[in-house]
Amino acid sequence: MNNQSDKNQDNNIHMLRYLEQKQEVSQRDIAQHLGISLGKVNYILNAFVEKGIVKAKNFKNNKNKRAYAYFLTPEGIKEKACLLYTSPSPR
């Protein structure tokens, strides 16, 4: 694998781990926590939802802004395990 694919795979692993621990979170919070751009978070989450790895549900938080709750699906749990198993760098 090349360096860019390794980095993308690491981003995917870290995001799946984070979403497993904290479902009710904004994309901005995810971006800050993972140290990646908001656009990259949006791109990855949309891909996860499209592949059935993550399910997104609307909810309203205390500040009355629209936000989402992100849940790993059974397929997402399998994907996370596969990514961890094939990950080039231990974390």
Side-chain angles (χ1 to χ4, degrees):
M1 267 200 246
N2 65 29
N3 196 18
Q4 188 61 38
S5 350
D6 291 347
K7 190 172 182 177
N8 288 340
Q9 187 172 0
D10 283 348
N11 287 337
N12 291 350
I13 291 168
H14 293 305
M15 189 175 301
L16 289 172
R17 282 181 174 166
Y18 188 67
L19 292 176
E20 188 173 46
Q21 295 170 1
K22 189 171 182 178
Q23 290 85 30
E24 293 182 3
V25 63
S26 70
Q27 289 186 12
R28 188 170 309 280
D29 290 339
I30 296 169
Q32 289 173 347
H33 179 78
L34 299 180
I36 59 178
S37 73
L38 184 57
K40 182 75 168 179
V41 169
N42 184 275
Y43 178 82
I44 294 169
L45 281 173
N46 284 334
F48 284 168
V49 169
E50 202 171 287
K51 291 178 182 179
I53 293 171
V54 170
K55 186 173 187 174
K57 286 181 75 176
N58 286 2
F59 76 97
K60 291 203 177 222
N61 63 13
N62 318 5
K63 300 170 191 166
N64 291 323
K65 294 181 182 176
R66 284 182 101 51
Y68 287 90
Y70 299 98
F71 301 96
L72 291 183
T73 63
E75 187 63 33
I77 294 168
K78 279 196 270 184
E79 179 71 15
K80 182 181 140 230
C82 288
L83 286 171
L84 288 171
Y85 183 73
T86 62
S87 178
S89 58
R91 297 217 180 212

